Amino acid sequence: MTKTATQFELPKLPYDYSALEPHIDEKTMKIHHTKHHQGYVDKLNKALESAPDKAEWSLEKILANLKELPESIQETVRQNGGGHANHSLFWKIMSPEGGGEPSGDLGSAINSTFGSYSDFRDKLKEHATGRFGSGWAWLVVANKKLEIIDTPNQDNPIMDGKTPILGVDVWEHAYYLNYQNERGKWVDHFFKLINWSEVEKNYSEAMK
Ligand code: MN3
């Protein structure tokens, strides 16, 4: 994740704001990226001014070691550093050419861990729709094995020693304009956007 000195930066999207239509509308993408994600970055940078000795730390290192930060900023960094990490991953694992099923090592691992791609899809959807309130559902690598989990708020699996390779945002800001209260419908459409080659890269990185 991009960082110059103590400053994290909003990453550019790898596609246009309208590119993920009809699954995500342009207005949702614009607000999500330029207001929500930008807000996390700004608040994270502001909070980290109180921890100049951590200026060289990566975001991953910060999230894995929140307790090492001054207590007064731990919660702010948890929320906004988590928000920055979560969204930076989220944008990259979606693509206008996304969808389909994973192949290669990840495809095999999904089949052997969850039974089949459709069992995987059902289980991720179950976590995404079952998470009460705002949060995320994830495909993670933990102890070299795949797991599906969900987290509250902007918590990132790194905080729990797990490596996220795919995440779906189930905050209302991610889907409300298009899907209103129908989170399950949003998740069904999310599957049509998954950039599996990116997730496969994340998987092989996490298995090293
Ligand atoms: Mn979001």
Side-chain angles (χ1 to χ4, degrees):
M1 260 140 258
T2 327
K3 191 188 190 193
T4 48
T6 55
Q7 296 290 301
F8 288 100
E9 285 170 14
L10 183 70
K12 277 213 160 65
L13 291 186
Y15 36 72
D16 293 337
Y17 288 117
S18 61
L20 303 183
E21 290 187 344
H23 310 297
I24 310 179
D25 61 283
E26 181 175 5
K27 192 173 181 190
T28 296
M29 283 301 293
K30 221 177 238 175
I31 297 172
H32 204 169
H33 183 248
T34 66
K35 305 290 181 195
H36 291 275
H37 191 170
Q38 181 73 63
Y40 302 128
V41 171
D42 293 344
K43 288 180 192 138
L44 172 65
N45 286 333
K46 180 97 193 89
L48 287 174
E49 287 173 7
S50 305
D53 58 316
K54 307 295 189 294
E56 299 308 314
W57 282 23
S58 68
L59 183 55
E60 290 79 4
K61 186 168 180 188
I62 291 172
L63 297 180
N65 297 280
L66 286 170
K67 292 248 166 354
E68 315 255 328
L69 298 174
E71 216 183 320
S72 60
I73 63 165
Q74 283 179 15
E75 190 53 34
T76 307
V77 172
R78 178 186 197 113
Q79 292 164 355
N80 295 284
H84 180 33
N86 296 350
H87 290 84
S88 297
L89 175 73
F90 182 58
W91 308 132
K92 283 168 72 178
I93 56 92
M94 296 189 294
S95 158
E97 285 87 44
E101 298 185 14
S103 56
D105 290 345
L106 177 60
S108 318
I110 282 181
N111 289 338
S112 64
T113 308
F114 306 110
S116 65
Y117 171 73
S118 78
D119 290 320
F120 154 77
R121 205 182 45 203
D122 291 349
K123 193 165 183 206
L124 187 67
K125 185 177 176 182
E126 211 176 280
H127 279 261
T129 53
R131 160 56 45 197
F132 183 77
S134 296
W136 291 74
W138 304 96
L139 179 61
V140 303
V141 173
N143 303 315
K144 307 269 172 207
K145 289 203 168 74
L146 290 175
E147 261 181 49
I148 292 171
I149 62 168
D150 57 89
T151 56
N153 307 313
Q154 294 294 358
D155 282 4
N156 183 289
I158 295 172
M159 296 169 188
D160 212 16
K162 301 177 179 193
T163 307
I165 63 170
L166 174 156
V168 53
D169 189 343
V170 296
W171 284 57
E172 283 186 345
H173 68 227
Y175 62 87
Y176 205 83
L177 293 181
N178 232 353
Y179 302 103
Q180 289 81 50
N181 59 318
E182 296 186 81
R183 189 188 282 183
K185 221 175 182 183
W186 148 235
V187 177
D188 289 339
H189 280 262
F190 167 76
F191 284 106
K192 299 176 187 184
L193 293 171
I194 298 177
N195 180 355
W196 282 112
S197 66
E198 190 66 27
V199 183
E200 282 163 31
K201 255 194 271 168
N202 296 341
Y203 177 66
S204 63
E205 197 60 37
M207 292 297 283
K208 270 182 194 162

